[in-house]
Amino acid sequence: MSKILLAGGAGYIGSHTAVELLNAGYEVVTADNYSNSCPEALKRVEKITGKQIKAYELDIKDIKALENVFEENDIDSVIHFAGLKAVGESVEKPVLYYRNNIDTTLSLLECMEKYKVRNIIFSSSATVYGEENPVPYTEQMKRGTCTNPYGWTKVMMEQILEDAAKAQKELSVVLLRYFNPIGAHPSGMIGEDPQGIPNNLMPFVAQVAVGRREKLTIFGKDYDTPDGTCRRDYIHVVDLAKGHVKAIEYAQKNKGTEVFNLGTGTPYSVAEIVDTFERVNEMKINHVYGERRAGDLPESYANADKALEILGWKTEKTLEDMCRDTWNWQKNNPNGYK
Ligand code: NAD
Ligand code: UFG
């Protein structure tokens, strides 16, 4: 079975994708500098699946170190998760974000060309739809205007990958635009383990639940939405991971660039997330309402039809599953992987 290189494979989405790939019979090689993850996540993936991962510790920007991975392994396809992803930090450190996210992409493409690796799946984001496009987002919409450097790196990386596929006719590029991944593997052994104060809603809720944070602030309740709080397309990380297995199968059979939304198509509000987490896990989440957060859109959700039509993929898990599995991970690992 073919060998898949997961760049940034020790991270939240990479580790869950590794489980699904191993379960589907692929061999998995990871390359990660552990700047936002740790090798323990990969050990847990091996425990869950009973299979082995070949893990390299390196910076993907370091082309010599990366070439060694391609030299030592007969890689069939690459999944590019390796990026910095904190929106607020990207505003403070734009150069760091452009350097890391764009250089990792260029290094991977250069190595792929040299070693004749023809398939790359890229972790893009709904953020590329920007501010102008109406919801639900469809893949043929033009990329929009982003509100932060993180978002712009995704727009630029999509462009770079598309251009590479135009120039190299044998290349297959699959751009996966993730909506809001939450949840954890049902085993409770792997999950999201943010460093410092979580930026994202679900890890913050989970840390309030486990007593690491005193209370959640809900950012804004005066949006033009049914309950006044923002709505997002939350997707269970295991469903998302399975989407990557479908994308690999697609890339192996097709050439050129294709774009897919990976979302459920159903938005939930921040208040609904808190309510569902409380109900499913039979607990209270201490929360207050605060000011709007700069840059937040009122609503973001996918039209998920294309992934179903072409990849035969759709989400299977419910919001209840997402809330239950998040808590199962957090309560078993109150301090994450530490
Ligand atoms: P994550 O931070 O958990 O995983 C990213 C991994 O890449 C980490 O293990 C990190 O150590 C590694 N990495 C970063 N720079 C590297 C470098 N130069 N060399 C080697 N390794 C490097 O994040 P995640 O949530 O798993 O996200 C994976 C990808 O999906 C990212 O590109 C992210 O932007 C994208 N994405 C995430 C979300 C989300 O909400 N989680 C939404 C849309 C898109
Ligand atoms: N929120 C709160 N309180 C918090 C954290 C978040 O109320 O403490 C709210 C936000 O205001 C937003 C919703 O919860 O309304 C979701 O926020 P997240 O930060 O979890 O997610 P975003 O939709 O803002 O951002 C996510 C990813 C980005 C990506 C973007 C668009 O984190 O990487 O989706 O795809 F760019």
Side-chain angles (χ1 to χ4, degrees):
M1 204 48 164
S2 34
K3 225 180 231 189
I4 316 294
L5 172 63
L6 307 192
Y12 172 47
I13 301 170
S15 56
H16 286 82
T17 301
V19 169
E20 299 308 323
L21 287 169
L22 289 165
N23 284 343
Y26 291 95
E27 285 182 53
V28 170
V29 177
T30 59
D32 203 303
N33 63 359
Y34 305 118
S35 58
N36 196 39
S37 59
C38 58
E40 175 63 19
L42 297 173
K43 295 212 181 76
R44 306 249 183 123
V45 170
E46 290 181 331
K47 266 191 204 134
I48 292 169
T49 59
K51 297 186 176 158
Q52 299 234 303
I53 291 173
K54 194 160 174 193
Y56 290 82
E57 179 170 0
L58 60 92
D59 191 321
I60 313 276
K61 299 196 292 301
D62 178 349
I63 192 125
K64 280 273 160 282
L66 188 61
E67 274 184 5
N68 178 49
V69 178
F70 283 80
E71 191 67 51
E72 290 186 3
N73 298 279
D74 184 13
I75 305 289
D76 173 83
S77 307
V78 171
I79 311 185
H80 179 16
F81 300 101
L84 299 174
K85 61 164 186 174
V87 171
E89 187 185 50
S90 80
V91 176
E92 284 154 31
K93 300 176 182 167
V95 177
L96 175 74
Y97 271 65
Y98 287 113
R99 169 67 81 195
N100 191 72
N101 291 2
I102 291 172
D103 260 8
T104 51
T105 308
L106 296 174
S107 293
L108 285 166
L109 284 170
E110 282 177 7
C111 280
M112 287 175 64
E113 193 172 5
K114 181 163 177 188
Y115 289 89
K116 301 191 169 42
V117 175
R118 305 304 191 194
N119 309 316
I120 181 164
I121 316 298
F122 175 61
S123 300
S124 191
S125 164
T127 198
V128 302
Y129 289 107
E131 297 181 294
E132 300 88 347
N133 286 304
V135 285
Y137 299 133
T138 54
E139 291 86 346
Q140 78 269 18
M141 288 173 175
K142 279 207 162 73
R143 289 186 282 256
T145 307
C146 295
T147 52
N148 58 76
Y150 164 75
W152 283 119
T153 68
K154 292 294 180 197
V155 169
M156 290 173 191
M157 291 184 284
E158 285 199 356
Q159 185 70 52
I160 290 167
L161 288 157
E162 271 178 28
D163 289 345
K166 266 186 218 146
Q168 297 173 47
K169 298 294 175 214
E170 59 293 342
L171 200 61
S172 176
V173 167
V174 181
L175 307 176
L176 298 180
R177 293 182 180 156
Y178 307 159
F179 282 70
N180 287 58
I182 60 171
H185 191 266
S187 64
M189 288 170 66
I190 55 172
E192 190 168 11
D193 181 20
Q195 314 296 306
I197 303 169
N199 301 298
N200 298 114
L201 176 64
M202 197 48 128
F204 205 106
V205 168
Q207 291 195 8
V208 173
V210 84
R212 278 171 69 183
R213 312 265 158 215
E214 190 205 333
K215 59 173 187 291
L216 169 76
T217 302
I218 296 181
F219 298 137
K221 62 168 175 181
D222 58 349
Y223 284 99
D224 185 16
T225 58
D227 65 17
T229 65
C230 293
R231 298 204 301 170
R232 294 287 180 274
D233 188 337
Y234 297 94
I235 171 171
H236 196 296
V237 65
V238 171
D239 278 332
L240 186 73
K242 289 180 176 165
H244 292 73
V245 180
K246 295 286 190 186
I248 292 278
E249 289 166 9
Y250 178 86
Q252 289 173 335
K253 291 193 210 105
N254 295 277
K255 300 288 159 220
T257 300
E258 203 53 83
V259 188
F260 297 101
N261 287 338
L262 295 186
T264 66
T266 306
Y268 289 102
S269 73
V270 179
E272 284 174 306
I273 296 291
V274 174
D275 285 352
T276 309
F277 194 97
E278 291 185 330
R279 176 169 52 78
V280 168
N281 298 315
E282 299 177 345
M283 61 168 68
K284 284 285 160 212
I285 298 297
N286 191 12
H287 63 275
V288 293
Y289 284 89
E291 295 297 308
R292 290 182 177 197
R293 183 173 69 178
D296 276 347
L297 296 173
E299 295 192 297
S300 162
Y301 57 97
N303 174 316
D305 294 349
K306 187 176 171 189
L308 177 59
E309 273 162 33
I310 297 180
L311 300 179
W313 171 92
K314 67 175 170 46
T315 59
E316 289 166 353
K317 301 209 178 244
T318 63
L319 183 60
E320 282 76 10
D321 296 328
M322 302 183 214
C323 291
R324 191 180 309 110
D325 291 339
T326 298
W327 177 231
N328 187 39
W329 151 253
Q330 189 73 75
K331 75 168 187 253
N332 287 317
N333 304 271
N335 295 308
Y337 289 109
K338 278 179 221 65

